[in-house]
Amino acid sequence: MKPEHFDTARLHAGYDPAAHLQSPLVPIYQTAAFGLGDTETAAAITAGTKADAYTYSRVGNPTVRAFEKRLAALDGGTDAVAVGSGMAAISYALLNVAEGGGRILAPTNIYGASLDEFRTLLPKFGIQFDFFDDINDLTTIKSLLRPETKAIYIESVANPSTEVADIAALAQIAHAAGIPLIVDNTFPTPYLCRPFEFGADIDVYSSTKGINGHGNVVSGVVIDHGQFDWNNGKFPQMTEPEFILGDEAQHKTASFYSKFGANAFINRIRMKYLRLLGAVMSPFDAYLALLGLETISERLSKEVQSATAIAQYLTTNPHVKHVYYSGIEKDNQLVKKYFPHGIGAILSFELAGDEEQVAKVLDNVHVFTYLPNVGDVRSLIVNPVKVTHREMPQAIRLKHQLNQQVLRLSIGLEDVRDLIADLDQAIRQAFVLPQE
Ligand SMILES: *Cc1c(COP(=O)(O)O)cnc(C)c1O
């Protein structure tokens, strides 16, 4: 039986206790490899004709597989591949779609490491980027499409501005050009937004963040909607004969498309990128991520409530120049459409002070922890320009009002009154005059 609702699926989807000695939790298969049994079984396993068989944990592991299946179910996808970090998920997805000389459209106000990869590293692998500044300037985005464009890549909620993307409109533009829309949906998690419902084709996540929610594991996941037509002539890597899928002895050839159809993309990620580049998620990390995922709904709904209260408090603080939390913008139609239960636990604000005063806020918080992460049960604070977004050139940062005075918050599960009091006293101390 397939669990129907999110809250049931986050506890049960993708795992059958009966196949694991009735263990209610997914067991940790902490092993590098699996016995092949007898030679006949070994032949069936290596030929890929034996279902749910495992040989080597770089290629597949039962604990990791349960995490993949659970996330695919929660996100509304057909399949998922878990990897060792969010950056590995992004890298593999973009290489898989545009390898060998494709172009990708992407916004400039994205996670710092993503921007750095797109500007300085992937071009060395033959993948060029056409950047746009405004995620909702659809005319400009359309004008950037070229015959070699292989995908549109976006963040559903931008880091750290929390600007919201019009997923359905962008999916339409992508599909009219015969290319997929790839969405980094890390900030909302599948609990707050499922981009596939609005036409996205591939989702990527840093499950380091809200999916696990406990700040104890770095990991990522790529999820496939299983709807895109990879046979439209733009993606030869999906339709060319693939040695590992064929049978040399019988002179049979196969491609990812001929073998997996609409699931060509995700299977190619697993069999080419994960298997050959090797950024695997470990079984123990998958266990921790599964455990964290069990409480995602309760965590996110409380965190959204607290983030909203904190954003509202910050708007009343005379030392705060601007609050960036699109969740409190009353007439933001995109928030209403895509995020009826909130945009997530992350917000930022610009202090009406100088760099020294920003440092004082960071040095005087006691409940908030000063560290570069988001989506933890503990509340976190960071100065993006100096830490998480230092890879972003100033010219780009300033277009997005990301200056030295911006502080990013990730709201956890503490009592919101303590969080507000902590921010309030830290900001007050930053504005105490020297003689007082
Ligand atoms: C953290 C983050 C990433 C990178 O994920 P890692 O797990 O740190 O590799 C990518 N995108 C967004 C939006 C993030 O917040």
Side-chain angles (χ1 to χ4, degrees), residues 84-88 90 111 113-114 153 155 157 159 184-187 205-209 217-220 373-374 408:
S85 69
M87 286 316 299
I90 293 166
Y111 181 63
S114 303
Y153 173 91
E155 290 180 359
V157 176
N159 177 354
D184 179 340
N185 196 42
T186 296
F187 272 23
Y205 288 96
S206 166
S207 39
T208 312
K209 317 292 171 56
V217 166
V218 173
S219 66
N373 193 14
V374 295
R408 186 185 73 189

